[in-house]
Amino acid sequence: MNNWQWIVFGEDWGRHPSSTQHLMKSMTRKHQVYWVNSIGLRRPKLTDGKRIIEKLKQLKNATANNFNQNHTLSDVEVKPLEILAPIAFPWPGNYVAYVINRLLLTYQIRAQLARHVADKNLPRILWLSLPTGRCVIDALEEDVVVYYAGDDFSALHGVDHKKVNFEEVELVKCADIIFAASDNIARQFPQDKTYLLPHGVDLKHFSSVCKRPNHYPESALVVGYYGSITRWLNFELITFLARARPDITFLFIGKIEIDDCPIFEYENIIHLVDMPHEELIKYAANWQVSLIPFVDNEQIRACNPLKLREYLAIGHPILSTKYPAVMEFSECIYIAENQQQMLEQLNTALILSEAELTRLKDESREMVKSSTWEARCDYVSALLMQKLTDKDNIACN
């Protein structure tokens, strides 16, 4: 039985594994979830040709994207009841675009809702992961407005910071509840309605034992990373480690989002293209060390990456640069503040005995056993239920 209706504004469904997508996959087991693909965080540029073509393709197939190029959604995959590739103007902070998008999106979403029979008394949750979705507030008869702040947009690359900050400020005023992915992000919002909601993990999936896939490196020692290969990686650190340990293969899985990436000039640094998130465990379960080589900047200091808890569930030694989110798990993670420390920590991780590796795996998984996506959904649902009850009580008085 469906308890609530969810109208969710997020990134393009399936484009990359966001926290909101994981949460809504779990919510679909009990609720009606209607997903609206991204309407953009900046005005398009002449260099955005590929992205514009991708968005046009989505008008025929809302899940078409260039991120997971070799994967299309199957009928058995968990996904929302409806996925909408909206017609809208990507121009944050512009009042004319706000008015036009409000009309366009309201019409499209109502048409989407009308395709399904639902109890008119079902509570309706408007969940906004992107501030630009605020234009539909109060137009969809929602009962609760939720802002999920998964990123610090003021530090995020590829965003029109000033305009998106304006959209976020206006959204925060209207939101009934704000969920923040990290302490740094939570501190930016009103404390009376802001709750910490760290990323979760599919513990069962990322604890799996897998055979080596066909494209796995033929190497006895593999240090692995998966995720976007972009400017938040410390390329100088990576190349330092590759030169210092030529006997190790450094495997990077993900989409390269910068031009002239310098690390793949080294023979012992290998790249595999991005793949469905569910496939990553086949590689990560077999490498010896999981790597998080982030730079130190505002975006990283505010982040709480999905891969952190997934790496812990995998249970291999984790080698990471220092940033706030990783310190919560410092007992189980090899953390370094400079290149030489990173190399020393790597060398230490690679000589652990079988008994030490088993103990580390048990301790790592223990740290995330209560952080499943189902547990996160229960927490969100409990807070929303309380908010709905409070609103009903106010209406009755």
Side-chain angles (χ1 to χ4, degrees), residues 325-357:
V326 81
M327 298 308 295
E328 178 184 352
F329 308 103
S330 59
E331 295 177 16
C332 292
I333 297 178
Y334 292 87
I335 300 171
E337 297 189 51
N338 56 53
Q339 291 183 354
Q340 190 58 41
Q341 282 187 13
M342 201 76 165
L343 177 58
E344 292 170 359
Q345 296 282 47
L346 174 59
N347 293 337
T348 300
L350 287 172
I351 60 172
L352 293 176
S353 66
E354 287 299 320
E356 289 171 323
L357 288 170

mmCIF file of all heavy atoms in Angstrom, residues 325-357:
data_model
loop_
_atom_site.group_PDB
_atom_site.id
_atom_site.type_symbol
_atom_site.label_atom_id
_atom_site.label_comp_id
_atom_site.label_asym_id
_atom_site.label_seq_id
_atom_site.Cartn_x
_atom_site.Cartn_y
_atom_site.Cartn_z
ATOM 1 N N ALA A 325 34.894 14.656 7.071
ATOM 2 C CA ALA A 325 34.001 13.492 7.097
ATOM 3 C C ALA A 325 34.750 12.199 7.385
ATOM 4 O O ALA A 325 34.206 11.283 8.019
ATOM 5 C CB ALA A 325 33.243 13.380 5.777
ATOM 6 N N VAL A 326 35.998 12.102 6.943
ATOM 7 C CA VAL A 326 36.727 10.852 7.109
ATOM 8 C C VAL A 326 37.195 10.667 8.552
ATOM 9 O O VAL A 326 37.432 9.541 9.002
ATOM 10 C CB VAL A 326 37.930 10.810 6.133
ATOM 11 C CG1 VAL A 326 39.118 11.600 6.668
ATOM 12 C CG2 VAL A 326 38.338 9.378 5.841
ATOM 13 N N MET A 327 37.280 11.764 9.319
ATOM 14 C CA MET A 327 37.792 11.667 10.681
ATOM 15 C C MET A 327 36.857 10.901 11.609
ATOM 16 O O MET A 327 37.287 10.357 12.623
ATOM 17 C CB MET A 327 38.061 13.071 11.235
ATOM 18 C CG MET A 327 39.116 13.854 10.462
ATOM 19 S SD MET A 327 40.666 12.924 10.232
ATOM 20 C CE MET A 327 41.205 12.768 11.936
ATOM 21 N N GLU A 328 35.579 10.848 11.270
ATOM 22 C CA GLU A 328 34.620 10.078 12.069
ATOM 23 C C GLU A 328 35.012 8.599 12.122
ATOM 24 O O GLU A 328 34.687 7.892 13.084
ATOM 25 C CB GLU A 328 33.217 10.239 11.476
ATOM 26 C CG GLU A 328 32.140 9.451 12.191
ATOM 27 C CD GLU A 328 30.780 9.567 11.522
ATOM 28 O OE1 GLU A 328 30.633 10.390 10.590
ATOM 29 O OE2 GLU A 328 29.859 8.826 11.929
ATOM 30 N N PHE A 329 35.699 8.132 11.101
ATOM 31 C CA PHE A 329 36.056 6.715 10.998
ATOM 32 C C PHE A 329 37.569 6.509 11.081
ATOM 33 O O PHE A 329 38.098 5.531 10.563
ATOM 34 C CB PHE A 329 35.532 6.149 9.679
ATOM 35 C CG PHE A 329 34.075 6.408 9.443
ATOM 36 C CD1 PHE A 329 33.661 7.394 8.567
ATOM 37 C CD2 PHE A 329 33.108 5.671 10.115
ATOM 38 C CE1 PHE A 329 32.313 7.641 8.353
ATOM 39 C CE2 PHE A 329 31.760 5.909 9.908
ATOM 40 C CZ PHE A 329 31.353 6.894 9.029
ATOM 41 N N SER A 330 38.247 7.425 11.732
ATOM 42 C CA SER A 330 39.717 7.413 11.737
ATOM 43 C C SER A 330 40.302 6.139 12.350
ATOM 44 O O SER A 330 41.442 5.778 12.037
ATOM 45 C CB SER A 330 40.242 8.643 12.486
ATOM 46 O OG SER A 330 39.757 8.658 13.826
ATOM 47 N N GLU A 331 39.534 5.442 13.193
ATOM 48 C CA GLU A 331 40.043 4.215 13.797
ATOM 49 C C GLU A 331 40.247 3.109 12.766
ATOM 50 O O GLU A 331 41.031 2.183 12.995
ATOM 51 C CB GLU A 331 39.072 3.723 14.881
ATOM 52 C CG GLU A 331 38.954 4.659 16.076
ATOM 53 C CD GLU A 331 37.933 4.156 17.081
ATOM 54 O OE1 GLU A 331 37.548 2.970 17.001
ATOM 55 O OE2 GLU A 331 37.507 4.949 17.939
ATOM 56 N N CYS A 332 39.523 3.207 11.642
ATOM 57 C CA CYS A 332 39.577 2.141 10.639
ATOM 58 C C CYS A 332 40.199 2.585 9.323
ATOM 59 O O CYS A 332 40.209 1.809 8.365
ATOM 60 C CB CYS A 332 38.165 1.602 10.370
ATOM 61 S SG CYS A 332 37.442 0.719 11.756
ATOM 62 N N ILE A 333 40.661 3.822 9.251
ATOM 63 C CA ILE A 333 41.140 4.363 7.976
ATOM 64 C C ILE A 333 42.562 4.894 8.139
ATOM 65 O O ILE A 333 42.895 5.527 9.143
ATOM 66 C CB ILE A 333 40.205 5.478 7.464
ATOM 67 C CG1 ILE A 333 38.806 4.901 7.187
ATOM 68 C CG2 ILE A 333 40.762 6.129 6.211
ATOM 69 C CD1 ILE A 333 37.794 5.925 6.729
ATOM 70 N N TYR A 334 43.395 4.639 7.153
ATOM 71 C CA TYR A 334 44.752 5.168 7.121
ATOM 72 C C TYR A 334 44.694 6.574 6.522
ATOM 73 O O TYR A 334 44.478 6.740 5.319
ATOM 74 C CB TYR A 334 45.662 4.255 6.301
ATOM 75 C CG TYR A 334 45.904 2.918 6.961
ATOM 76 C CD1 TYR A 334 45.019 1.856 6.766
ATOM 77 C CD2 TYR A 334 47.000 2.730 7.798
ATOM 78 C CE1 TYR A 334 45.235 0.631 7.395
ATOM 79 C CE2 TYR A 334 47.225 1.509 8.422
ATOM 80 C CZ TYR A 334 46.335 0.464 8.218
ATOM 81 O OH TYR A 334 46.538 -0.739 8.840
ATOM 82 N N ILE A 335 44.881 7.577 7.372
ATOM 83 C CA ILE A 335 44.709 8.970 6.971
ATOM 84 C C ILE A 335 46.066 9.666 6.952
ATOM 85 O O ILE A 335 46.877 9.498 7.867
ATOM 86 C CB ILE A 335 43.753 9.697 7.939
ATOM 87 C CG1 ILE A 335 42.384 9.002 7.943
ATOM 88 C CG2 ILE A 335 43.599 11.164 7.554
ATOM 89 C CD1 ILE A 335 41.439 9.503 9.015
ATOM 90 N N ALA A 336 46.295 10.447 5.908
ATOM 91 C CA ALA A 336 47.576 11.139 5.761
ATOM 92 C C ALA A 336 47.363 12.605 5.419
ATOM 93 O O ALA A 336 46.365 12.972 4.787
ATOM 94 C CB ALA A 336 48.413 10.466 4.681
ATOM 95 N N GLU A 337 48.316 13.440 5.832
ATOM 96 C CA GLU A 337 48.213 14.883 5.596
ATOM 97 C C GLU A 337 49.182 15.377 4.530
ATOM 98 O O GLU A 337 49.123 16.540 4.137
ATOM 99 C CB GLU A 337 48.458 15.637 6.898
ATOM 100 C CG GLU A 337 47.426 15.339 7.977
ATOM 101 C CD GLU A 337 47.572 16.255 9.186
ATOM 102 O OE1 GLU A 337 47.620 17.487 8.984
ATOM 103 O OE2 GLU A 337 47.648 15.751 10.315
ATOM 104 N N ASN A 338 50.080 14.498 4.076
ATOM 105 C CA ASN A 338 51.018 14.906 3.023
ATOM 106 C C ASN A 338 51.453 13.673 2.234
ATOM 107 O O ASN A 338 51.084 12.546 2.566
ATOM 108 C CB ASN A 338 52.227 15.645 3.609
ATOM 109 C CG ASN A 338 52.955 14.827 4.663
ATOM 110 O OD1 ASN A 338 53.342 13.671 4.430
ATOM 111 N ND2 ASN A 338 53.139 15.417 5.852
ATOM 112 N N GLN A 339 52.231 13.899 1.206
ATOM 113 C CA GLN A 339 52.613 12.812 0.300
ATOM 114 C C GLN A 339 53.411 11.723 1.017
ATOM 115 O O GLN A 339 53.147 10.531 0.832
ATOM 116 C CB GLN A 339 53.435 13.374 -0.862
ATOM 117 C CG GLN A 339 52.636 14.248 -1.810
ATOM 118 C CD GLN A 339 53.476 14.731 -2.984
ATOM 119 O OE1 GLN A 339 54.693 14.512 -3.044
ATOM 120 N NE2 GLN A 339 52.836 15.389 -3.932
ATOM 121 N N GLN A 340 54.380 12.126 1.829
ATOM 122 C CA GLN A 340 55.230 11.135 2.488
ATOM 123 C C GLN A 340 54.418 10.280 3.470
ATOM 124 O O GLN A 340 54.592 9.057 3.539
ATOM 125 C CB GLN A 340 56.380 11.830 3.224
ATOM 126 C CG GLN A 340 57.450 10.861 3.727
ATOM 127 C CD GLN A 340 58.081 10.035 2.617
ATOM 128 O OE1 GLN A 340 58.364 10.553 1.541
ATOM 129 N NE2 GLN A 340 58.298 8.739 2.876
ATOM 130 N N GLN A 341 53.517 10.916 4.222
ATOM 131 C CA GLN A 341 52.643 10.161 5.121
ATOM 132 C C GLN A 341 51.768 9.192 4.340
ATOM 133 O O GLN A 341 51.532 8.061 4.766
ATOM 134 C CB GLN A 341 51.760 11.109 5.935
ATOM 135 C CG GLN A 341 52.432 11.773 7.100
ATOM 136 C CD GLN A 341 51.440 12.570 7.943
ATOM 137 O OE1 GLN A 341 50.229 12.439 7.811
ATOM 138 N NE2 GLN A 341 51.979 13.412 8.816
ATOM 139 N N MET A 342 51.289 9.637 3.185
ATOM 140 C CA MET A 342 50.429 8.791 2.363
ATOM 141 C C MET A 342 51.184 7.533 1.938
ATOM 142 O O MET A 342 50.641 6.419 1.976
ATOM 143 C CB MET A 342 49.958 9.579 1.140
ATOM 144 C CG MET A 342 48.696 9.038 0.486
ATOM 145 S SD MET A 342 47.227 9.458 1.449
ATOM 146 C CE MET A 342 45.934 9.122 0.239
ATOM 147 N N LEU A 343 52.426 7.704 1.532
ATOM 148 C CA LEU A 343 53.231 6.565 1.108
ATOM 149 C C LEU A 343 53.494 5.623 2.286
ATOM 150 O O LEU A 343 53.386 4.392 2.148
ATOM 151 C CB LEU A 343 54.552 7.049 0.510
ATOM 152 C CG LEU A 343 55.536 5.960 0.073
ATOM 153 C CD1 LEU A 343 54.903 5.040 -0.973
ATOM 154 C CD2 LEU A 343 56.825 6.595 -0.454
ATOM 155 N N GLU A 344 53.801 6.190 3.431
ATOM 156 C CA GLU A 344 54.055 5.366 4.616
ATOM 157 C C GLU A 344 52.815 4.584 5.024
ATOM 158 O O GLU A 344 52.891 3.397 5.372
ATOM 159 C CB GLU A 344 54.536 6.251 5.767
ATOM 160 C CG GLU A 344 55.917 6.854 5.536
ATOM 161 C CD GLU A 344 56.274 7.914 6.566
ATOM 162 O OE1 GLU A 344 55.425 8.191 7.453
ATOM 163 O OE2 GLU A 344 57.388 8.480 6.481
ATOM 164 N N GLN A 345 51.663 5.242 4.973
ATOM 165 C CA GLN A 345 50.407 4.571 5.321
ATOM 166 C C GLN A 345 50.076 3.472 4.316
ATOM 167 O O GLN A 345 49.587 2.401 4.687
ATOM 168 C CB GLN A 345 49.259 5.588 5.380
ATOM 169 C CG GLN A 345 49.389 6.652 6.456
ATOM 170 C CD GLN A 345 49.019 6.136 7.841
ATOM 171 O OE1 GLN A 345 49.457 5.055 8.254
ATOM 172 N NE2 GLN A 345 48.214 6.892 8.551
ATOM 173 N N LEU A 346 50.343 3.736 3.054
ATOM 174 C CA LEU A 346 50.121 2.721 2.025
ATOM 175 C C LEU A 346 51.001 1.496 2.280
ATOM 176 O O LEU A 346 50.525 0.356 2.223
ATOM 177 C CB LEU A 346 50.405 3.304 0.643
ATOM 178 C CG LEU A 346 50.364 2.324 -0.536
ATOM 179 C CD1 LEU A 346 48.999 1.657 -0.653
ATOM 180 C CD2 LEU A 346 50.730 3.027 -1.837
ATOM 181 N N ASN A 347 52.266 1.733 2.556
ATOM 182 C CA ASN A 347 53.180 0.620 2.821
ATOM 183 C C ASN A 347 52.728 -0.195 4.029
ATOM 184 O O ASN A 347 52.815 -1.427 4.024
ATOM 185 C CB ASN A 347 54.592 1.160 3.046
ATOM 186 C CG ASN A 347 55.198 1.765 1.788
ATOM 187 O OD1 ASN A 347 54.787 1.435 0.681
ATOM 188 N ND2 ASN A 347 56.169 2.647 1.960
ATOM 189 N N THR A 348 52.240 0.492 5.056
ATOM 190 C CA THR A 348 51.751 -0.196 6.252
ATOM 191 C C THR A 348 50.526 -1.048 5.943
ATOM 192 O O THR A 348 50.417 -2.207 6.375
ATOM 193 C CB THR A 348 51.402 0.822 7.358
ATOM 194 O OG1 THR A 348 52.571 1.573 7.694
ATOM 195 C CG2 THR A 348 50.879 0.120 8.602
ATOM 196 N N ALA A 349 49.594 -0.491 5.179
ATOM 197 C CA ALA A 349 48.354 -1.204 4.853
ATOM 198 C C ALA A 349 48.628 -2.474 4.057
ATOM 199 O O ALA A 349 47.925 -3.481 4.208
ATOM 200 C CB ALA A 349 47.411 -0.289 4.077
ATOM 201 N N LEU A 350 49.666 -2.440 3.236
ATOM 202 C CA LEU A 350 49.940 -3.566 2.350
ATOM 203 C C LEU A 350 50.675 -4.723 3.030
ATOM 204 O O LEU A 350 50.815 -5.792 2.433
ATOM 205 C CB LEU A 350 50.737 -3.096 1.137
ATOM 206 C CG LEU A 350 49.939 -2.268 0.119
ATOM 207 C CD1 LEU A 350 50.869 -1.686 -0.932
ATOM 208 C CD2 LEU A 350 48.844 -3.099 -0.535
ATOM 209 N N ILE A 351 51.148 -4.518 4.254
ATOM 210 C CA ILE A 351 51.848 -5.608 4.937
ATOM 211 C C ILE A 351 51.054 -6.145 6.124
ATOM 212 O O ILE A 351 51.595 -6.874 6.957
ATOM 213 C CB ILE A 351 53.259 -5.163 5.408
ATOM 214 C CG1 ILE A 351 53.157 -3.990 6.383
ATOM 215 C CG2 ILE A 351 54.138 -4.828 4.211
ATOM 216 C CD1 ILE A 351 54.503 -3.631 7.026
ATOM 217 N N LEU A 352 49.776 -5.808 6.196
ATOM 218 C CA LEU A 352 48.936 -6.338 7.273
ATOM 219 C C LEU A 352 48.820 -7.856 7.142
ATOM 220 O O LEU A 352 48.699 -8.391 6.034
ATOM 221 C CB LEU A 352 47.543 -5.709 7.219
ATOM 222 C CG LEU A 352 47.426 -4.205 7.533
ATOM 223 C CD1 LEU A 352 45.994 -3.744 7.344
ATOM 224 C CD2 LEU A 352 47.911 -3.894 8.941
ATOM 225 N N SER A 353 48.818 -8.534 8.269
ATOM 226 C CA SER A 353 48.653 -9.992 8.264
ATOM 227 C C SER A 353 47.198 -10.350 8.000
ATOM 228 O O SER A 353 46.301 -9.493 8.058
ATOM 229 C CB SER A 353 49.074 -10.564 9.624
ATOM 230 O OG SER A 353 48.175 -10.122 10.640
ATOM 231 N N GLU A 354 46.945 -11.612 7.708
ATOM 232 C CA GLU A 354 45.570 -12.059 7.465
ATOM 233 C C GLU A 354 44.694 -11.799 8.685
ATOM 234 O O GLU A 354 43.532 -11.394 8.556
ATOM 235 C CB GLU A 354 45.561 -13.545 7.111
ATOM 236 C CG GLU A 354 46.081 -13.862 5.721
ATOM 237 C CD GLU A 354 45.250 -13.191 4.628
ATOM 238 O OE1 GLU A 354 43.996 -13.162 4.762
ATOM 239 O OE2 GLU A 354 45.837 -12.691 3.657
ATOM 240 N N ALA A 355 45.224 -12.017 9.871
ATOM 241 C CA ALA A 355 44.462 -11.778 11.098
ATOM 242 C C ALA A 355 44.141 -10.289 11.248
ATOM 243 O O ALA A 355 43.022 -9.913 11.632
ATOM 244 C CB ALA A 355 45.246 -12.276 12.311
ATOM 245 N N GLU A 356 45.108 -9.438 10.920
ATOM 246 C CA GLU A 356 44.882 -7.986 11.020
ATOM 247 C C GLU A 356 43.874 -7.518 9.974
ATOM 248 O O GLU A 356 43.029 -6.657 10.256
ATOM 249 C CB GLU A 356 46.212 -7.253 10.841
ATOM 250 C CG GLU A 356 47.161 -7.418 12.023
ATOM 251 C CD GLU A 356 48.538 -6.869 11.738
ATOM 252 O OE1 GLU A 356 49.022 -7.002 10.582
ATOM 253 O OE2 GLU A 356 49.163 -6.325 12.669
ATOM 254 N N LEU A 357 43.937 -8.089 8.783
ATOM 255 C CA LEU A 357 42.972 -7.733 7.739
ATOM 256 C C LEU A 357 41.565 -8.155 8.124
ATOM 257 O O LEU A 357 40.589 -7.420 7.893
ATOM 258 C CB LEU A 357 43.374 -8.379 6.409
ATOM 259 C CG LEU A 357 44.596 -7.779 5.703
ATOM 260 C CD1 LEU A 357 45.015 -8.664 4.543
ATOM 261 C CD2 LEU A 357 44.296 -6.362 5.216
#
